Amino acid sequence: FRNNSSISESTWNRYFGTFEEFKRQAGITLTRQQHALERDIAKHVSVDHYRALNERHDWGEDYKRDHKTKWKTILVGSDFHDTLCDPFLLRVFIETAKRLQPTDICLNGDIFDLAEFSVYYVDPREFDAPGKVKFVWDHIFRPLREACPSANIDLIEGNHELRLLKSLQDNNPGVPILLDELHGITTRELLGLDKFEMNYISNANAGVFGKKMPKNQLKKNWKTYYNTFVAHHYPPGRKANMPGWNGHHHKHVVWPFFNHDLGSCEWHQLGAGHIIEANYCDAQLAGWSNGFLIAHVNEDTRSHMMEYVQVTDAACVGGKYYFRTEEEDWKKNGLPHI
């Protein structure tokens, strides 16, 4: 019609704006409303396979252990990012767990990194997803469980854990290699929940789409410890007006405030557990730092204390000093094999 009729472009442009709109009004193509409805249907169909992931909402108390002591102690580490983990911080963290024997260990999200499934560009020749999963098992989960056999260990879902699980559902190109080398393990086995008797804290709905919706869902991943502390991967957790902590931003910030039930309180944004000069970010500009947290609470009175452990080339925990060894100096030697 357009090529063979004598009607000029200006004729339909004057009445319809574009030839595409002319075809819509003629009933030849879908209207804007019809097309929008089709797109919405397609979006929902495209995420239906994620809904099976929501079974993880029920994994939060699988290995819950009760302690009869009045005072509870929670050891908190965040953002280890698998093989990018700072070897010195990890040594101090595990030795602290051995000395302290906490009632709870909170791994506050992004314990995995797995850049193979990330938005950051990584040379595919350097992919080693199975090796990174095994690293977390062998150098973080297993040492913690062996050091603290009676502790509750909670893994709070961060954006990297959710990204990994969604990649499994999407059959991302790296997934077959990962599952083949790890012998086709299940999601629970991949996270190490049964092997190391850990609880997985997740309330996010994986079946969402859009740029903002996944992050808004991740804000639902939190846990309250002993009706006093809130553990959250993201900063909005401090809106609960309770003492607690978040990770994700890799730099230590403290917000003091007053709670009429608990008195003077603090909310801590934790430093990271990984080397601060990751190649995908200017760490100095971002203000990244390393550290972890120890929180104490009297379950009866809710009297509480929080100790933040800053980790540089040295650290001090309960009066004991630790110093980075030459082998742990990744700035000089590169990240060592722990």
Side-chain angles (χ1 to χ4, degrees):
F1 176 85
R2 190 174 192 178
N3 293 335
N4 296 298
S5 75
S6 59
I7 300 176
S8 66
E9 293 275 344
S10 62
T11 301
W12 56 62
N13 285 348
R14 187 190 325 154
Y15 292 103
F16 301 102
T18 65
F19 188 63
E20 286 300 315
E21 186 61 28
F22 172 59
K23 289 189 290 183
R24 291 190 189 101
Q25 296 302 324
I28 297 171
T29 60
L30 295 177
T31 65
R32 294 179 186 277
Q33 292 78 10
Q34 290 169 327
H35 190 49
L37 179 59
E38 284 197 339
R39 287 200 311 272
D40 287 342
I41 292 172
K43 284 180 180 179
H44 285 278
V45 170
S46 71
V47 299
D48 277 349
H49 64 294
Y50 291 143
R51 308 209 187 273
L53 284 179
N54 290 340
E55 65 175 338
R56 70 199 195 289
H57 295 174
D58 300 324
W59 298 346
E61 295 188 351
D62 286 351
Y63 294 101
K64 182 180 179 181
R65 295 169 181 178
D66 295 322
H67 296 85
K68 296 181 180 180
T69 58
K70 182 183 298 185
W71 280 92
K72 314 296 185 183
T73 301
I74 308 156
L75 177 63
V76 188
S78 188
D79 297 271
F80 286 86
H81 288 255
D82 56 56
T83 55
L84 289 174
C85 182
D86 184 305
F88 175 51
L89 180 141
L90 183 57
R91 174 168 67 89
V92 176
F93 189 78
I94 292 172
E95 288 190 18
T96 298
K98 289 179 183 177
R99 292 175 54 211
L100 195 62
Q101 288 300 306
T103 52
D104 302 84
I105 298 175
C106 175
L107 299 174
N108 203 58
D110 289 0
I111 306 305
F112 294 91
D113 183 89
L114 290 168
E116 290 84 345
F117 308 119
S118 75
V119 296
Y120 298 106
Y121 179 76
V122 180
D123 188 338
R125 295 170 297 180
E126 298 178 0
F127 281 5
D128 183 22
K132 293 176 180 179
V133 171
K134 291 177 181 177
F135 178 92
V136 172
W137 290 353
D138 294 339
H139 298 290
I140 300 177
F141 292 164
R142 180 173 286 110
L144 285 174
R145 176 47 75 201
E146 290 176 352
C148 304
S150 65
N152 286 302
I153 301 182
D154 298 319
L155 174 55
I156 293 184
E157 183 177 76
N159 49 300
H160 284 251
E161 282 81 24
L162 180 58
R163 186 179 66 197
L164 167 62
L165 300 186
K166 292 181 74 171
S167 294
L168 293 176
Q169 294 297 97
D170 283 337
N171 198 27
N172 180 296
V175 167
I177 297 174
L178 174 64
L179 296 183
D180 181 61
E181 291 204 26
L182 297 178
H183 308 296
I185 60 177
T186 67
T187 301
R188 288 182 62 90
E189 291 170 326
L190 180 66
L191 294 170
L193 304 185
D194 300 314
K195 183 187 296 286
F196 306 110
E197 298 185 352
M198 302 190 305
N199 306 305
Y200 192 69
I201 311 301
S202 171
N203 296 303
N205 183 356
V208 296
F209 46 82
K211 293 182 178 180
K212 293 184 178 180
M213 289 181 72
K215 186 172 182 179
N216 289 336
Q217 286 294 318
L218 280 164
K219 292 177 182 178
K220 299 178 181 179
N221 293 342
W222 55 273
K223 177 175 179 174
T224 301
Y225 284 92
Y226 305 109
N227 199 31
T228 301
F229 294 117
V230 174
H232 202 299
H233 186 63
Y234 283 103
R238 67 190 181 100
K239 294 181 180 178
N241 195 40
M242 292 173 64
W245 53 82
N246 70 272
H248 187 66
H249 288 293
H250 304 181
K251 61 181 177 181
H252 184 221
V253 183
V254 183
W255 290 275
F257 64 95
F258 183 81
N259 178 295
H260 286 284
D261 290 329
L262 300 173
S264 296
C265 301
E266 294 178 350
W267 181 274
H268 285 255
Q269 178 174 282
L270 305 182
H274 69 78
I275 58 174
I276 59 175
E277 293 183 8
N279 57 12
Y280 54 80
C281 180
D282 187 336
Q284 291 184 343
L285 184 63
W288 287 1
S289 61
N290 293 130
F292 59 89
L293 184 72
I294 304 170
H296 308 272
V297 59
N298 182 320
E299 190 175 15
D300 294 337
T301 65
R302 299 174 74 193
S303 174
H304 63 280
M305 299 172 286
M306 304 177 79
E307 307 173 59
Y308 184 76
V309 179
Q310 186 81 14
V311 178
T312 55
D313 288 335
C316 182
V317 185
K320 180 175 180 177
Y321 287 91
Y322 297 87
F323 300 96
R324 188 182 297 271
T325 64
E326 186 174 347
E327 292 77 15
E328 294 167 337
D329 191 346
W330 52 266
K331 293 181 181 179
K332 294 181 179 180
N333 306 321
L335 189 62
H337 296 290
I338 299 178

